[in-house]
Amino acid sequence: MSKGAAKTESSPAPQPRTPEDIRNVVLVGPGGAGKSTLFDHLVAARVPGRRPQEGERNRSVGLSVASFESNGVTINLIDAPGFPDFVGELRAGLRAADAAIFVISAADDIDGATALLWQELAAVGVPRAVAVSKLDMPRSDYDDTIARCQRAFGDAQALYLPVHDAEKVVVGSMGLLSQRVFDSSDGSRSERDPEGDEAAAIEDRRGPLIEAIIEESEDDTLLDRYLEGEDISTDTVIEDLKAAVAKATFFPLVPISPATGVGLEEVLEVIEQCFPSPASRTAPTAYSPVGATLPAVTCDPDGPLVAEVIRTTSDPYVGRLSLVRVFSGTLRADDVVHVSGHLGEFVERRGGAPVEGHTDHDDDERVGPLSSPLDDATRHTNRGIAGELVLVSKLSHAETSDTLSAKDRPALIEPWVLPDPLLPVAIHASNKRDEDKLAGALQRVVAEDVTMRMEHNPETHQVVLWTMGQAHVEEILSRLRDRYGVEVEAEPFRTALRETFVRKCTVQGRHVKQSGGHGQYAVCQIEIEPLERGGGVEFVDKVVGGSVPRQFIPSVEKGARAQLEKGVLSGYPVVDVRITLFDGKAHSVDSSDMAFQTAASMALKEAANEATVSLLEPIDRVDITVDDDYVGSVMSDLRGRRGAVLGTEPAEVSGRTVVHAEVPQVELSRYPIDLRSVSHGTGLFTRSLLRYDYMPAELAKQQHLTA
């Protein structure tokens, strides 16, 4: 799905009979943990003819999806990017999935950035297990990793222990509940009884695991009976394990070494036996396109169709391809469905910035061919039942996060919570040919990537892409170039400033021209005085005696307001000023509406100089959430940005702090990148316009010079 046009495979697609036969699972983890390698090997372990990719995979920037059968269960496996710039893709994957495998490296600590990924999963309450990779690295230690997971994640316990050979290579695993050893040392998986130290290791770890599982049991007497010495059957413990994992209150750890095959069957067993089916998960709330709440969506293939577009890709040759999660009903090729998209409405309802390029739409459209995803390939399928993930071709009106529903029962699902893109990049086409294609290409990118916000700024006259970070910027520009053949260049991002008069002054605007025939004659005398911040623009008429005829007074106001909007010194709109017209002159023949508009404009420009006009810059309220260890560094960095720290308070998550500050907008254009560096990847922030305030004289002078 993330690799552009997919090739078609002749092998049959999975055909689950009921939602209970489906497991939708997303792989999550920090970059370098081996998440994509695990994805490749899990697919290869179940799909004949598939081989895992050799060597290191490139950093993933989008979702990869593979659907395959395993022991009678259809598994839709999703590989989500782990890099922070693509957290929007992760959230899309979480909407498509019902459970998650969190992949971490035993050779690395669980840093703040990894903890933030875990919090993404916790925020939506998804059941999850932990796969521990790179156990044969020199610094790896499984016991230390278990302890780190318990500190960072909560109730995490090892379900299996790794088995190493004499060279410290991981060659098998020990099941703590089954008390069996699964050996892959000869390239195939065999099962045997534990030997020597293996039996002691199992005995040492088995008791704490069973006790932790029983603590989650709905049978309140079970723990007391176990502590009193009663022998609890393994089947009872396994049933409680399944229930605890499904409730997302217990997180089993599984050691993996995909290269030797260790852990693959164990991970698949957790997916098949412990993770919930779509039928046992609560579907998103559905509304009618006009906002009325509809009856609860149930995972019933015979119910009314309710589905959501999880991701959209466009290819110049293949067209648009939509990854769709079906929540209710059955989606079939050639059906006419209702396509509803109200992304902008939902974003603004949550307090987000207006979304350009995502106009609200409700259309009926015929469904194109359906296919089942298999990473970089597809297989034809006739339908997708409730709980399934399918690819739909040629949905020309559907965009990412849109809802597909029955034509006679239109529905709308509220999109998943989108991250706020806070890194702006201003772009322009490299040449005239690309300029003609840029608008269409950007519209396609907007439809695909809902984490990017496009803005045509009317004040700075720039096309601005608001992104998640530098890697996101590079991916967007690469997509424009490689997929749509549009070369663009970045340019310095400009902050929209304001001008204001800082002292009272009186000035005359005189526009007199005679060039044969009717001339142009208008003289207006105006007084300009500053108002308090937020005062806006006032126009006052104090003309007495008819020195300016009444029909031309609106012309003076119109000309003055037009010039204030264009700026009087540096080209920025003028605010917080009162314009008073108190005198003037007119000619019975040569005066006109346009002449007085021009005279008013000339008067304002005549009054403007560095002594009478100052620049105002926007000040944002910034709230930064960061790990406690980096609060001091963040506050020091804010002061270096001319920021004023207002205070701090504990965050909802233990070990984190919220820093409140006021910072000039011109100092925030690269803040997402800088905050990530200062906070070691643990910092998040929000920003909102607070007010305009005077820009320091030295900075204002630079703006005058570049205006």
Side-chain angles (χ1 to χ4, degrees):
M1 186 68 191
S2 63
K3 302 174 181 62
K7 60 181 181 289
T8 302
E9 285 213 352
S10 57
S11 59
Q15 296 287 335
R17 292 172 299 173
T18 68
E20 286 77 9
D21 298 328
I22 301 171
R23 302 292 184 273
N24 297 313
V25 181
V26 61
L27 300 182
V28 183
K35 171 178 51 63
S36 296
T37 300
L38 176 61
F39 175 86
D40 281 346
H41 283 79
L42 288 173
V43 175
R46 286 294 184 266
V47 180
R50 295 287 298 188
R51 292 178 177 271
Q53 180 175 316
E54 295 182 2
E56 290 291 324
R57 290 181 59 139
N58 295 328
R59 179 175 65 196
S60 58
V61 300
L63 300 177
S64 295
V65 186
S67 179
F68 55 88
E69 286 192 0
S70 180
N71 297 319
V73 174
T74 295
I75 297 176
N76 293 309
L77 193 64
I78 306 165
D79 181 15
F83 197 68
D85 282 14
F86 305 106
V87 68
E89 289 289 307
L90 167 60
R91 293 184 182 180
L94 288 171
R95 174 56 73 94
D98 302 303
I101 299 289
F102 196 79
V103 184
I104 61 171
S105 166
D108 299 312
D109 197 5
I110 298 175
D111 59 16
T114 303
L116 285 180
L117 282 176
W118 182 266
Q119 288 170 23
E120 289 284 342
L121 309 188
V124 296
V126 66
R128 46 208 182 273
V130 180
V132 182
S133 67
K134 304 197 175 181
L135 287 159
D136 48 5
M137 298 286 285
R139 294 178 295 141
S140 66
D141 188 297
Y142 192 60
D143 289 341
D144 284 351
T145 301
I146 294 171
R148 291 197 298 266
C149 288
Q150 290 171 343
R151 288 194 298 269
F153 306 151
D155 201 354
Q157 292 283 346
L159 201 58
Y160 295 87
L161 301 179
V163 176
H164 295 82
D165 66 9
E167 303 297 326
K168 301 299 182 183
V169 175
V170 179
V171 294
S173 65
M174 296 180 277
L176 296 183
L177 293 182
S178 66
Q179 301 183 80
R180 300 288 288 171
V181 176
F182 305 96
D183 196 333
S184 302
S185 58
D186 61 356
S188 61
R189 191 172 188 263
S190 60
E191 184 178 339
R192 60 175 174 81
D193 292 327
E195 301 171 353
D197 292 343
E198 294 172 344
I202 290 175
E203 183 64 26
D204 183 54
R205 289 285 188 180
R206 191 170 192 269
L209 170 64
I210 292 176
E211 186 174 330
I213 294 172
I214 291 176
E215 283 181 346
E216 301 293 340
S217 175
E218 295 181 356
D219 184 347
D220 296 334
T221 69
L222 195 60
L223 180 60
D224 291 335
R225 286 154 46 201
Y226 174 74
L227 294 176
E228 290 170 0
E230 181 178 331
D231 186 19
I232 307 299
S233 71
T234 301
D235 289 344
T236 299
V237 175
I238 290 174
E239 289 304 312
D240 282 338
L241 169 65
K242 294 178 181 179
V245 171
K247 291 187 299 183
T249 57
F250 182 84
F251 316 114
L253 272 68
V254 180
I256 62 169
S257 178
T260 59
V262 173
L264 299 182
E265 293 299 325
E266 289 82 348
V267 168
L268 289 168
E269 183 181 50
V270 169
I271 291 173
E272 297 161 15
Q273 301 297 323
C274 295
F275 283 167
S277 73
S280 59
R281 296 283 290 169
T282 302
T285 302
Y287 305 88
S288 72
V290 295
T293 302
L294 298 178
V297 176
T298 58
C299 191
D300 179 4
D302 296 323
L305 177 67
V306 178
E308 188 172 25
V309 179
I310 300 300
R311 192 167 193 261
T312 307
T313 58
S314 298
D315 186 272
Y317 305 103
V318 178
R320 185 170 290 187
L321 192 63
S322 303
L323 176 65
V324 174
R325 163 72 191 256
V326 183
F327 289 104
S328 174
T330 299
L331 183 66
R332 294 182 175 86
D334 291 328
D335 281 355
V336 176
V337 299
H338 185 77
V339 180
S340 186
H342 292 248
L343 179 64
E345 175 186 333
F346 283 115
V347 169
E348 291 186 35
R349 188 183 300 174
R350 294 171 183 155
V355 178
E356 184 177 340
H358 292 280
T359 56
D360 291 352
H361 56 274
D362 286 278
D363 309 284
D364 291 335
E365 187 169 0
R366 187 174 298 278
V367 175
L370 301 184
S371 56
S372 173
L374 187 60
D375 193 15
D376 57 352
T378 63
R379 295 153 300 178
H380 174 73
T381 189
N382 292 317
R383 51 87 168 140
I385 67 169
E388 272 200 276
L389 294 176
V390 292
L391 293 170
V392 184
S393 302
K394 301 177 181 179
L395 277 178
S396 58
H397 294 97
E399 301 177 355
T400 300
S401 80
D402 280 5
T403 304
L404 310 182
S405 57
K407 181 180 177 182
D408 57 346
R409 285 192 60 177
L412 178 64
I413 295 175
E414 182 172 358
W416 55 92
V417 177
L418 300 173
D420 196 5
L422 296 172
L423 179 68
V425 56
I427 63 168
H428 63 267
S430 298
N431 51 60
K432 183 64 170 69
R433 179 180 61 84
D434 289 327
E435 186 176 329
D436 294 337
K437 298 189 297 182
L438 180 59
L442 283 176
Q443 192 60 48
R444 292 187 182 94
V445 172
V446 167
E448 296 170 6
D449 187 353
V450 292
T451 60
M452 186 199 80
R453 180 164 56 88
M454 181 172 63
E455 175 190 9
H456 287 81
N457 192 305
E459 296 182 27
T460 64
H461 307 291
Q462 289 185 309
V463 176
V464 180
L465 307 181
W466 289 88
T467 68
M468 297 298 299
Q470 189 59 42
H472 193 198
V473 172
E474 293 169 1
E475 192 274 331
I476 292 169
L477 300 188
S478 173
R479 201 186 322 171
L480 288 170
R481 179 184 64 250
D482 299 337
R483 189 178 299 174
Y484 301 112
V486 178
E487 289 281 354
V488 299
E489 297 175 359
E491 62 186 34
F493 171 75
R494 297 195 295 273
T495 300
L497 306 178
R498 298 288 185 267
E499 298 175 357
T500 193
F501 281 85
V502 294
R503 61 179 59 182
K504 188 175 182 179
C505 56
T506 301
V507 67
Q508 174 179 282
R510 177 182 173 85
H511 180 59
V512 178
K513 276 193 174 183
Q514 187 67 48
S515 56
H518 281 297
Q520 298 181 48
Y521 188 96
V523 178
C524 59
Q525 293 185 332
I526 62 176
E527 179 183 79
I528 305 168
E529 56 185 317
L531 298 177
E532 293 182 355
R533 293 286 76 76
V537 174
E538 295 182 7
F539 180 82
V540 180
D541 170 21
K542 286 191 176 180
V543 174
V544 294
S547 56
V548 177
R550 304 307 300 172
Q551 70 267 28
F552 294 133
I553 290 176
S555 304
V556 174
E557 179 177 2
K558 183 177 180 181
R561 288 187 180 275
Q563 187 60 53
L564 292 175
E565 191 64 33
K566 292 187 291 185
V568 294
L569 195 62
S570 300
Y572 299 106
V574 180
V575 297
D576 304 335
V577 64
R578 178 184 292 124
I579 307 297
T580 301
L581 174 66
F582 64 88
D583 203 358
K585 295 180 181 178
H587 188 278
S588 59
V589 175
D590 293 342
S591 289
S592 65
D593 168 65
M594 186 54 67
F596 271 98
Q597 285 190 48
T598 303
S601 172
M602 294 172 65
L604 289 171
K605 288 189 284 187
E606 179 70 23
N609 56 60
E610 292 187 13
T612 59
V613 175
S614 287
L615 284 181
L616 299 175
E617 61 179 341
I619 307 296
D620 276 5
R621 164 68 181 255
V622 181
D623 300 303
I624 307 107
T625 304
V626 65
D627 278 8
D628 292 345
D629 292 342
Y630 305 111
V631 170
S633 298
V634 167
M635 292 173 69
S636 177
D637 178 74
L638 288 171
R639 295 187 186 99
R641 299 173 186 275
R642 299 188 286 122
V645 176
L646 305 178
T648 64
E649 63 177 329
E652 293 183 1
V653 177
S654 177
R656 289 172 65 80
T657 296
V658 181
V659 180
H660 305 291
E662 295 178 1
V663 187
Q665 273 190 15
V666 295
E667 305 288 349
L668 293 173
S669 62
R670 304 291 293 175
Y671 193 58
I673 296 173
D674 297 337
L675 176 62
R676 190 173 296 166
S677 175
V678 169
S679 68
H680 292 233
T682 70
L684 303 171
F685 78 102
T686 60
R687 56 185 286 189
S688 58
L689 178 62
L690 192 62
R691 65 177 186 280
Y692 281 83
D693 213 337
Y694 291 111
M695 176 176 275
E698 189 60 35
L699 291 177
K701 187 175 182 180
Q702 295 176 16
Q703 293 288 335
H704 292 318
L705 292 174
T706 57

